[in-house]
Amino acid sequence: MSNISHKAGETKGQAQEKTSQMVDSAKNTVNAACDKASDTAQSTRDSAQKTGDSSAGFLQQTGEQARNMAQGAVDSVKNAVNKVKGPNEK
């Protein structure tokens, strides 16, 4: 019986480790997307200021929307991670 408990403990530990790895990977992906969206928004603002183009406002709004969507994705991953890890884990 103790062998079964030991195997169950090992399996649980392996599952927790795999979950942690997947969560870390998701965080990295979302953070990279957020950084890219933020860079794109900044580039759009810079271009708009240089050209004085009438479409600048539209481009700036689009960049801001992309950044906000990326931030929403980051928040979603954080919420999912907190649900997986539980309230007492970091």
Side-chain angles (χ1 to χ4, degrees):
M1 192 65 140
S2 132
N3 190 28
I4 293 172
S5 295
H6 178 72
K7 293 264 186 205
E10 279 184 14
T11 301
K12 181 180 177 184
Q14 290 170 351
Q16 287 174 334
E17 179 61 27
K18 185 68 173 173
T19 299
S20 179
Q21 290 171 355
M22 290 171 48
V23 166
D24 288 344
S25 177
K27 280 184 187 178
N28 291 338
T29 300
V30 170
N31 284 333
C34 188
D35 290 345
K36 182 69 174 169
S38 183
D39 290 347
T40 301
Q42 183 62 46
S43 176
T44 301
R45 280 191 294 272
D46 292 347
S47 293
Q49 288 175 352
K50 288 179 185 176
T51 62
D53 190 352
S54 62
S55 62
F58 171 77
L59 292 174
Q60 185 172 354
Q61 280 183 328
T62 302
E64 290 296 324
Q65 288 172 346
R67 186 175 60 110
N68 291 338
M69 287 173 37
Q71 185 60 49
V74 169
D75 293 341
S76 294
V77 169
K78 286 179 183 177
N79 289 336
V81 169
N82 288 335
K83 287 180 184 178
V84 169
K85 288 189 171 186
N88 296 328
E89 299 180 49
K90 290 186 179 185

